[in-house]
Structures are given as C-alpha cells and as structure tokens.
Coordinates of all heavy atoms in Angstrom, one line a residue:
M1 N 98.2 87.5 67.2 CA 99.2 87.6 68.3 C 99.6 86.2 68.7 O 98.8 85.3 68.9 CB 98.4 88.3 69.5 CG 99.3 88.5 70.7 SD 100.1 90.1 70.5 CE 100.8 90.3 72.2
G2 N 100.9 86.0 68.6 CA 101.5 84.7 68.9 C 102.1 84.7 70.3 O 101.7 85.5 71.2
R3 N 103.0 83.8 70.5 CA 103.7 83.7 71.7 C 104.5 85.0 72.0 O 105.0 85.6 71.0 CB 104.6 82.5 71.6 CG 105.3 82.2 72.9 CD 105.8 80.8 72.9 NE 106.5 80.6 74.2 CZ 107.2 79.6 74.6 NH1 107.3 78.6 73.8 NH2 107.7 79.5 75.8
T4 N 104.7 85.3 73.2 CA 105.6 86.4 73.6 C 106.8 86.0 74.4 O 106.7 85.0 75.1 CB 104.8 87.6 74.3 OG1 104.4 87.1 75.5 CG2 103.7 88.1 73.5
Y5 N 107.8 86.8 74.3 CA 109.1 86.5 75.1 C 109.5 87.8 75.8 O 109.2 88.9 75.3 CB 110.2 86.0 74.2 CG 109.9 84.7 73.5 CD1 109.4 84.6 72.2 CD2 110.0 83.5 74.2 CE1 109.1 83.4 71.6 CE2 109.8 82.3 73.6 CZ 109.3 82.2 72.3 OH 109.0 81.0 71.8
R6 N 110.3 87.6 76.9 CA 110.8 88.8 77.6 C 112.2 89.1 77.0 O 113.0 88.3 76.9 CB 111.0 88.5 79.1 CG 109.7 88.4 79.8 CD 109.9 87.9 81.2 NE 110.6 88.8 82.0 CZ 110.1 89.9 82.6 NH1 108.8 90.2 82.5 NH2 110.8 90.7 83.4
V7 N 112.3 90.4 76.5 CA 113.5 90.8 75.9 C 114.1 92.0 76.8 O 113.4 93.0 77.0 CB 113.3 91.3 74.5 CG1 114.6 91.9 73.9 CG2 112.8 90.2 73.6
T8 N 115.3 91.7 77.3 CA 115.9 92.7 78.2 C 117.0 93.4 77.4 O 117.9 92.8 76.9 CB 116.5 92.1 79.4 OG1 115.4 91.5 80.2 CG2 117.2 93.1 80.3
F9 N 117.0 94.8 77.4 CA 118.0 95.6 76.8 C 118.9 95.9 78.0 O 118.6 96.8 78.8 CB 117.5 96.8 76.1 CG 116.6 96.4 74.9 CD1 115.3 96.2 75.1 CD2 117.2 96.3 73.7 CE1 114.5 95.8 74.0 CE2 116.4 95.9 72.6 CZ 115.1 95.7 72.7
V10 N 120.0 95.2 78.1 CA 120.8 95.2 79.4 C 121.4 96.6 79.7 O 121.2 97.0 80.8 CB 121.9 94.1 79.2 CG1 122.8 94.1 80.5 CG2 121.3 92.8 79.0
R11 N 122.0 97.2 78.8 CA 122.6 98.5 79.1 C 121.6 99.6 79.4 O 121.8 100.5 80.2 CB 123.4 99.0 77.9 CG 124.7 98.2 77.6 CD 125.3 98.7 76.3 NE 126.3 97.8 75.8 CZ 127.6 98.0 75.7 NH1 128.1 99.2 76.1 NH2 128.4 97.1 75.2
S12 N 120.4 99.5 78.8 CA 119.4 100.5 79.0 C 118.5 100.2 80.2 O 117.7 101.0 80.7 CB 118.5 100.5 77.8 OG 119.3 100.7 76.6
G13 N 118.6 98.9 80.7 CA 117.8 98.5 81.9 C 116.3 98.5 81.6 O 115.5 98.7 82.4
V14 N 116.0 98.1 80.3 CA 114.6 98.0 79.9 C 114.3 96.6 79.5 O 115.0 96.0 78.8 CB 114.4 99.0 78.7 CG1 113.0 98.8 78.1 CG2 114.6 100.4 79.1
T15 N 113.1 96.1 80.0 CA 112.6 94.8 79.6 C 111.2 95.0 79.0 O 110.4 95.7 79.6 CB 112.6 93.8 80.8 OG1 113.9 93.6 81.3 CG2 112.0 92.5 80.4
V16 N 111.0 94.3 77.9 CA 109.7 94.4 77.2 C 109.3 93.0 76.8 O 110.1 92.1 76.6 CB 109.8 95.3 75.9 CG1 110.0 96.8 76.3 CG2 110.9 94.9 75.0
E17 N 107.9 92.9 76.7 CA 107.4 91.7 76.1 C 107.3 91.8 74.6 O 106.8 92.8 74.1 CB 105.9 91.5 76.7 CG 105.8 91.2 78.2 CD 106.2 89.8 78.5 OE1 106.0 88.9 77.6 OE2 106.7 89.5 79.6
V18 N 107.8 90.8 73.9 CA 107.9 91.0 72.5 C 107.2 89.7 71.8 O 107.6 88.6 72.2 CB 109.4 91.1 72.0 CG1 109.4 91.2 70.5 CG2 110.1 92.2 72.7
D19 N 106.3 90.0 70.9 CA 105.6 88.9 70.2 C 106.6 88.2 69.3 O 107.6 88.8 68.8 CB 104.5 89.5 69.4 CG 103.7 88.4 68.7 OD1 104.0 88.0 67.6 OD2 102.6 88.0 69.3
E20 N 106.4 86.9 69.1 CA 107.4 86.1 68.3 C 107.4 86.6 66.8 O 108.4 86.3 66.1 CB 107.0 84.7 68.3 CG 105.6 84.4 67.7 CD 105.2 82.9 67.8 OE1 106.0 82.1 68.2 OE2 104.0 82.6 67.5
E21 N 106.4 87.4 66.4 CA 106.5 87.9 65.0 C 107.0 89.3 64.9 O 107.1 89.9 63.8 CB 105.1 87.8 64.4 CG 104.6 86.4 64.2 CD 105.5 85.6 63.3 OE1 106.1 86.1 62.4 OE2 105.7 84.4 63.7
E22 N 107.3 89.9 66.1 CA 107.8 91.3 66.1 C 109.3 91.3 66.1 O 110.0 90.4 66.6 CB 107.3 92.0 67.4 CG 107.6 93.5 67.4 CD 106.9 94.2 68.5 OE1 106.5 93.6 69.5 OE2 106.7 95.4 68.4
R23 N 109.8 92.4 65.5 CA 111.3 92.5 65.4 C 111.8 93.2 66.6 O 111.2 94.2 67.1 CB 111.6 93.4 64.1 CG 111.2 92.7 62.8 CD 111.1 93.7 61.7 NE 110.6 93.0 60.5 CZ 111.3 93.0 59.3 NH1 112.3 93.8 59.2 NH2 110.8 92.4 58.3
V24 N 112.9 92.7 67.1 CA 113.4 93.2 68.4 C 113.8 94.7 68.3 O 113.5 95.4 69.3 CB 114.7 92.3 68.8 CG1 115.4 92.9 69.9 CG2 114.2 90.9 69.1
L25 N 114.3 95.1 67.2 CA 114.6 96.6 67.0 C 113.3 97.4 67.2 O 113.3 98.4 68.0 CB 115.2 96.8 65.7 CG 115.4 98.3 65.4 CD1 116.7 98.8 66.1 CD2 115.5 98.6 63.9
V26 N 112.3 97.0 66.6 CA 111.0 97.8 66.7 C 110.5 97.8 68.1 O 110.0 98.9 68.6 CB 110.0 97.3 65.7 CG1 108.6 97.9 65.9 CG2 110.5 97.5 64.3
A27 N 110.5 96.7 68.8 CA 110.1 96.6 70.1 C 110.9 97.5 71.1 O 110.3 98.2 71.9 CB 110.1 95.2 70.6
G28 N 112.2 97.5 70.9 CA 113.1 98.3 71.7 C 112.8 99.8 71.5 O 112.7 100.6 72.4
L29 N 112.7 100.2 70.2 CA 112.4 101.6 69.9 C 111.1 102.1 70.5 O 111.0 103.2 71.0 CB 112.4 101.8 68.4 CG 113.8 101.7 67.7 CD1 113.6 101.8 66.2 CD2 114.8 102.7 68.1
R30 N 110.1 101.2 70.4 CA 108.8 101.5 71.0 C 108.9 101.8 72.5 O 108.2 102.6 73.0 CB 107.8 100.4 70.7 CG 106.4 100.8 70.9 CD 105.5 99.6 70.6 NE 105.7 98.5 71.4 CZ 105.8 97.2 71.0 NH1 105.7 97.0 69.8 NH2 106.1 96.3 71.9
A31 N 109.8 101.1 73.1 CA 110.0 101.2 74.6 C 110.9 102.3 75.0 O 111.2 102.5 76.1 CB 110.5 99.9 75.1
G32 N 111.4 103.1 73.9 CA 112.3 104.2 74.2 C 113.8 103.9 74.3 O 114.5 104.8 74.7
V33 N 114.2 102.7 73.9 CA 115.6 102.4 73.9 C 116.2 103.0 72.7 O 115.7 102.9 71.6 CB 115.8 100.8 73.9 CG1 117.3 100.5 73.9 CG2 115.0 100.2 75.1
A34 N 117.4 103.6 72.9 CA 118.1 104.2 71.8 C 118.9 103.2 71.1 O 119.9 102.6 71.6 CB 119.1 105.3 72.4
L35 N 118.5 102.8 69.9 CA 119.1 101.7 69.1 C 119.4 102.2 67.8 O 118.6 102.9 67.1 CB 118.1 100.6 69.0 CG 117.7 99.9 70.3 CD1 116.5 99.0 70.1 CD2 118.8 99.0 70.9
A36 N 120.7 101.9 67.3 CA 121.1 102.3 66.0 C 120.5 101.4 64.9 O 120.4 100.2 65.1 CB 122.6 102.3 65.9
S37 N 120.1 102.1 63.8 CA 119.6 101.3 62.7 C 119.7 102.1 61.4 O 119.8 103.3 61.5 CB 118.2 100.8 62.9 OG 117.3 101.9 62.8
S38 N 119.7 101.4 60.3 CA 119.7 102.1 59.0 C 118.7 101.5 58.0 O 117.6 101.9 57.9 CB 121.1 102.2 58.5 OG 121.2 102.9 57.2
C39 N 119.2 100.3 57.4 CA 118.3 99.8 56.4 C 117.1 99.1 56.9 O 116.1 99.0 56.3 CB 119.2 98.7 55.6 SG 119.5 97.2 56.5
R40 N 117.2 98.5 58.1 CA 116.1 97.7 58.7 C 115.7 96.5 57.9 O 114.5 96.1 57.9 CB 114.9 98.6 59.1 CG 115.3 99.7 60.1 CD 114.1 100.4 60.7 NE 114.5 101.4 61.6 CZ 113.7 102.1 62.4 NH1 112.4 101.9 62.3 NH2 114.2 103.0 63.2
Q41 N 116.6 96.0 57.0 CA 116.2 94.9 56.2 C 117.3 93.8 56.2 O 117.4 93.0 55.3 CB 116.1 95.4 54.7 CG 114.9 96.3 54.5 CD 114.9 96.8 53.1 OE1 114.8 95.9 52.2 NE2 114.9 98.1 52.8
G42 N 118.2 93.8 57.3 CA 119.2 92.8 57.4 C 120.3 92.9 56.4 O 120.9 92.0 56.0
M43 N 120.6 94.2 55.9 CA 121.5 94.3 54.8 C 122.7 95.2 55.1 O 123.5 95.4 54.2 CB 120.8 95.0 53.6 CG 119.6 94.2 53.1 SD 120.0 92.7 52.2 CE 120.3 93.4 50.6
C44 N 122.8 95.8 56.3 CA 123.9 96.7 56.6 C 124.7 96.6 57.8 O 125.7 97.2 58.0 CB 123.3 98.2 56.5 SG 122.5 98.7 58.0
K45 N 124.2 95.9 58.8 CA 124.9 95.7 60.1 C 124.9 96.8 61.1 O 125.5 96.8 62.1 CB 126.3 95.2 59.9 CG 126.5 93.9 59.2 CD 128.0 93.4 59.3 CE 128.2 92.2 58.5 NZ 129.6 91.7 58.5
T46 N 124.2 97.9 60.7 CA 124.2 99.1 61.7 C 123.6 98.6 63.0 O 124.0 99.1 64.1 CB 123.3 100.2 61.1 OG1 123.9 100.6 59.8 CG2 123.3 101.4 62.0
C47 N 122.6 97.7 63.0 CA 121.9 97.3 64.2 C 122.5 96.1 64.9 O 122.0 95.6 65.9 CB 120.5 96.9 63.8 SG 120.4 95.5 62.8
M48 N 123.7 95.7 64.4 CA 124.3 94.4 65.0 C 124.8 94.6 66.4 O 125.6 95.5 66.7 CB 125.4 94.0 64.1 CG 125.9 92.6 64.4 SD 127.0 91.9 63.2 CE 128.5 92.8 63.6
V49 N 124.3 93.8 67.3 CA 124.7 93.8 68.7 C 124.8 92.3 69.2 O 124.1 91.4 68.7 CB 123.7 94.6 69.6 CG1 123.8 96.1 69.3 CG2 122.3 94.1 69.4
P50 N 125.5 92.1 70.3 CA 125.5 90.8 70.9 C 124.1 90.5 71.6 O 123.5 91.4 72.2 CB 126.6 90.9 72.0 CG 127.5 92.0 71.6 CD 126.5 93.0 70.9
V51 N 123.6 89.3 71.4 CA 122.4 88.9 71.9 C 122.5 87.5 72.5 O 123.0 86.6 71.9 CB 121.3 88.8 70.8 CG1 120.0 88.3 71.4 CG2 121.1 90.2 70.2
E52 N 122.1 87.4 73.8 CA 122.0 86.1 74.4 C 120.6 85.5 74.3 O 119.6 86.2 74.6 CB 122.4 86.2 75.9 CG 123.8 86.5 76.2 CD 124.0 86.7 77.7 OE1 123.3 86.1 78.5 OE2 124.9 87.5 78.0
G53 N 120.5 84.2 73.9 CA 119.2 83.6 73.7 C 119.0 83.2 72.2 O 120.0 83.3 71.4
I54 N 117.8 82.8 71.9 CA 117.6 82.3 70.5 C 116.8 83.4 69.8 O 115.7 83.7 70.2 CB 116.8 81.0 70.6 CG1 117.5 79.9 71.4 CG2 116.5 80.5 69.2 CD1 116.7 78.7 71.7
I55 N 117.4 83.8 68.7 CA 116.8 84.9 67.9 C 116.8 84.5 66.4 O 117.8 84.0 65.9 CB 117.5 86.3 68.1 CG1 116.9 87.4 67.3 CG2 119.0 86.2 67.8 CD1 117.3 88.8 67.7
D56 N 115.6 84.6 65.8 CA 115.5 84.2 64.4 C 116.4 85.1 63.5 O 116.1 86.3 63.6 CB 114.0 84.3 64.0 CG 113.8 83.8 62.5 OD1 114.8 83.8 61.7 OD2 112.7 83.5 62.2
Q57 N 117.3 84.6 62.8 CA 118.2 85.4 61.9 C 118.0 84.9 60.5 O 118.9 85.1 59.7 CB 119.6 85.3 62.4 CG 119.9 86.0 63.7 CD 119.9 87.5 63.5 OE1 120.9 88.1 63.2 NE2 118.7 88.1 63.7
S58 N 116.9 84.4 60.1 CA 116.7 83.8 58.8 C 116.7 84.9 57.7 O 116.9 84.7 56.6 CB 115.4 83.0 58.7 OG 114.3 83.8 59.1
Q59 N 116.4 86.2 58.1 CA 116.5 87.3 57.2 C 117.7 88.2 57.4 O 117.8 89.3 56.8 CB 115.2 88.1 57.3 CG 114.0 87.3 56.9 CD 112.7 88.1 57.0 OE1 112.5 88.9 57.9 NE2 111.8 87.9 56.1
A60 N 118.6 87.7 58.2 CA 119.9 88.5 58.5 C 120.9 88.2 57.4 O 121.8 87.4 57.6 CB 120.4 88.2 59.8
Y61 N 120.7 88.7 56.2 CA 121.4 88.3 55.0 C 122.9 88.5 55.1 O 123.7 87.8 54.5 CB 120.8 89.0 53.8 CG 119.3 88.7 53.6 CD1 118.4 89.7 53.8 CD2 118.9 87.4 53.3 CE1 117.0 89.5 53.7 CE2 117.5 87.2 53.2 CZ 116.6 88.2 53.4 OH 115.3 87.9 53.3
I62 N 123.3 89.6 55.8 CA 124.7 90.0 55.6 C 125.6 89.5 56.8 O 126.8 89.7 56.8 CB 124.7 91.6 55.5 CG1 126.1 92.0 54.9 CG2 124.5 92.2 56.8 CD1 126.1 93.5 54.6
I63 N 125.0 88.9 57.8 CA 125.8 88.5 59.0 C 126.6 87.3 58.6 O 126.1 86.4 57.9 CB 124.9 88.3 60.2 CG1 125.7 88.4 61.5 CG2 124.1 87.0 60.1 CD1 124.9 88.5 62.8
S64 N 127.8 87.2 59.1 CA 128.7 86.1 58.8 C 128.5 84.9 59.8 O 128.0 85.2 60.9 CB 130.1 86.5 58.8 OG 130.6 86.8 60.1
D65 N 128.9 83.8 59.4 CA 128.9 82.6 60.4 C 129.7 82.9 61.6 O 129.4 82.5 62.7 CB 129.4 81.4 59.7 CG 128.4 80.9 58.6 OD1 127.3 81.3 58.6 OD2 128.8 80.0 57.8
Q66 N 130.9 83.6 61.4 CA 131.7 83.9 62.5 C 131.0 84.9 63.5 O 131.1 84.8 64.7 CB 133.0 84.6 62.1 CG 133.9 83.6 61.4 CD 133.7 83.6 59.9 OE1 132.6 83.9 59.4 NE2 134.8 83.4 59.1
E67 N 130.3 85.9 62.9 CA 129.6 86.8 63.8 C 128.4 86.1 64.5 O 128.2 86.4 65.7 CB 129.0 88.0 63.0 CG 130.2 88.9 62.5 CD 129.8 89.8 61.3 OE1 128.8 89.5 60.6 OE2 130.5 90.7 61.1
L68 N 127.7 85.2 63.9 CA 126.7 84.4 64.5 C 127.3 83.6 65.7 O 126.7 83.5 66.8 CB 126.0 83.5 63.5 CG 125.0 84.3 62.6 CD1 124.5 83.3 61.5 CD2 123.8 84.8 63.3
A69 N 128.4 83.0 65.4 CA 129.0 82.1 66.3 C 129.5 82.9 67.6 O 129.6 82.4 68.7 CB 130.2 81.3 65.7
A70 N 129.9 84.2 67.3 CA 130.3 85.0 68.4 C 129.1 85.7 69.2 O 129.3 86.4 70.1 CB 131.2 86.2 67.8
G71 N 127.9 85.3 68.8 CA 126.7 85.8 69.5 C 126.1 87.1 69.0 O 125.2 87.6 69.7
Y72 N 126.5 87.5 67.9 CA 126.0 88.8 67.4 C 124.7 88.5 66.6 O 124.4 87.4 66.1 CB 126.9 89.5 66.4 CG 128.0 90.2 67.1 CD1 129.2 89.5 67.5 CD2 127.9 91.5 67.5 CE1 130.2 90.2 68.1 CE2 128.9 92.2 68.2 CZ 130.1 91.5 68.5 OH 131.1 92.1 69.2
A73 N 123.8 89.5 66.5 CA 122.6 89.4 65.7 C 122.2 90.7 65.1 O 122.6 91.8 65.6 CB 121.4 88.9 66.6
L74 N 121.5 90.6 64.0 CA 120.9 91.8 63.4 C 119.5 92.0 64.0 O 118.6 91.2 63.5 CB 120.9 91.7 61.9 CG 122.2 91.5 61.2 CD1 122.1 91.4 59.7 CD2 123.3 92.5 61.6
I75 N 119.3 92.9 64.9 CA 118.0 92.9 65.6 C 116.9 93.6 64.8 O 115.8 93.4 65.1 CB 118.2 93.6 67.0 CG1 118.6 95.0 66.9 CG2 119.0 92.8 67.9 CD1 118.6 95.8 68.2
C76 N 117.3 94.2 63.7 CA 116.2 94.8 62.8 C 115.3 93.7 62.2 O 114.2 94.0 61.9 CB 116.8 95.7 61.8 SG 117.7 94.9 60.4
V77 N 115.9 92.6 61.9 CA 115.2 91.5 61.4 C 115.1 90.3 62.3 O 114.7 89.2 61.9 CB 115.8 91.0 60.0 CG1 115.6 92.0 59.0 CG2 117.2 90.6 60.2
G78 N 115.5 90.5 63.6 CA 115.5 89.4 64.6 C 114.2 89.3 65.3 O 113.8 90.3 65.9
R79 N 113.6 88.1 65.3 CA 112.4 87.9 66.1 C 112.8 86.9 67.2 O 113.5 85.9 66.9 CB 111.3 87.3 65.2 CG 110.9 88.3 64.1 CD 109.9 87.6 63.1 NE 109.4 88.6 62.2 CZ 110.0 89.0 61.0 NH1 111.1 88.4 60.7 NH2 109.4 89.8 60.2
P80 N 112.2 87.1 68.4 CA 112.6 86.2 69.5 C 112.1 84.8 69.4 O 110.9 84.6 69.0 CB 112.0 87.0 70.7 CG 110.9 87.7 70.2 CD 111.2 88.1 68.8
R81 N 112.9 83.9 69.7 CA 112.5 82.5 69.8 C 112.8 81.9 71.2 O 112.6 80.7 71.5 CB 113.2 81.6 68.8 CG 112.8 82.0 67.4 CD 111.4 81.7 67.1 NE 111.0 82.0 65.7 CZ 110.3 83.2 65.4 NH1 110.0 84.0 66.4 NH2 110.0 83.4 64.2
S82 N 113.2 82.8 72.1 CA 113.3 82.5 73.6 C 113.4 83.9 74.2 O 113.4 84.9 73.6 CB 114.6 81.8 73.9 OG 115.8 82.6 73.8
D83 N 113.4 84.0 75.6 CA 113.7 85.2 76.2 C 115.1 85.6 75.8 O 116.0 84.8 75.6 CB 113.7 85.0 77.8 CG 112.3 84.8 78.3 OD1 111.3 85.0 77.5 OD2 112.1 84.4 79.4
L84 N 115.4 86.9 75.7 CA 116.6 87.4 75.2 C 117.2 88.5 76.1 O 116.5 89.2 76.8 CB 116.4 88.1 73.8 CG 115.9 87.3 72.7 CD1 115.7 88.1 71.4 CD2 116.8 86.1 72.4
R85 N 118.6 88.5 76.1 CA 119.3 89.6 76.7 C 120.1 90.3 75.6 O 121.0 89.7 75.0 CB 120.2 89.1 77.8 CG 119.5 88.6 79.0 CD 120.3 88.0 80.0 NE 121.4 88.9 80.5 CZ 121.2 89.8 81.5 NH1 120.0 90.0 82.0 NH2 122.2 90.6 81.9
V86 N 119.8 91.5 75.3 CA 120.4 92.3 74.2 C 121.4 93.3 74.8 O 121.1 94.0 75.7 CB 119.3 93.1 73.4 CG1 119.9 93.8 72.3 CG2 118.3 92.1 72.9
D87 N 122.6 93.3 74.3 CA 123.7 94.2 74.8 C 123.5 95.6 74.2 O 124.2 96.0 73.3 CB 125.0 93.6 74.5 CG 126.1 94.4 75.1 OD1 125.9 95.2 76.0 OD2 127.3 94.2 74.7
A88 N 122.5 96.3 74.6 CA 122.2 97.6 74.1 C 121.3 98.4 75.1 O 120.8 97.8 76.1 CB 121.4 97.6 72.8
Ligands
LIG1 S1 119.6 98.1 60.3 FE1 120.7 97.3 58.5 S2 121.0 95.3 59.1 FE2 119.8 96.0 60.7

C-alpha cells in the first residue's frame, strides 16, 4: 500500500481514496460510479475523460499529445499522482 490520493468523480458526486498504484477506472467502478471502458489496456479510448490534476499516463498508448494537452486521460491505465477531479 503506497500513498493515496482523493479522486472526485464530479458528475457522479463520488469521492474515493485511491492508492497511487491503483487505476482510477477500477477505483471508480468499485465505488459504484458508472464508467465506460472496453480494453482496459490503454488501447481504445473508450474510457477517455477530462481529468484535472496529475495522472500517470505512461501506459496510455493511444492518447495523442493534443488530447493530453486538452486535459484528457485514459483512466483505465491512469494512476493518481495528485488529488484528481474526473469529469464522470
Ligand atoms: S478502456 Fe480502452 S483505453 Fe481505457
């Protein structure tokens, strides 16, 4: 168990504590947030949503620099590196 961060799913009104090694998608699903996903390997963009804060995207293989610059993230492979606000 490493460091944890507070992740808020803004539209759903749900906030959860997420370990730095846990994927944001998995944490949200566990808390009952309805989140779209498909491959869960950073390869399809089904889970792509705007995220405020620092989220590890080192395994987000298919996201473009423009999408990253616009604040989007693939939450299926996204691990928190700060408290986050997820637009979902
Ligand atoms: S579910 Fe496919 S990239 Fe996240």
Side-chain angles (χ1 to χ4, degrees):
M1 187 85 168
R3 182 162 183 188
T4 63
Y5 296 100
R6 289 172 65 82
V7 176
T8 299
F9 295 90
V10 179
R11 291 175 197 245
S12 309
V14 173
T15 298
V16 290
E17 292 284 331
V18 183
D19 186 273
E20 63 184 350
E21 293 306 323
E22 189 171 22
R23 295 162 184 233
V24 169
L25 174 78
V26 171
L29 292 174
R30 194 181 62 226
V33 181
L35 296 167
S37 69
S38 181
C39 73
R40 299 193 180 185
Q41 296 180 56
M43 303 285 280
C44 77
K45 298 190 187 179
T46 303
C47 67
M48 190 169 75
V49 290
V51 176
E52 292 177 26
I54 303 169
I55 181 168
D56 183 339
Q57 289 288 272
S58 59
Q59 295 179 322
Y61 303 111
I62 201 173
I63 200 166
S64 71
D65 290 345
Q66 290 93 330
E67 287 159 343
L68 287 171
Y72 284 88
L74 302 183
I75 60 171
C76 70
V77 291
R79 296 174 173 84
R81 294 295 179 260
S82 75
D83 291 348
L84 300 177
R85 289 174 60 81
V86 181
D87 187 11

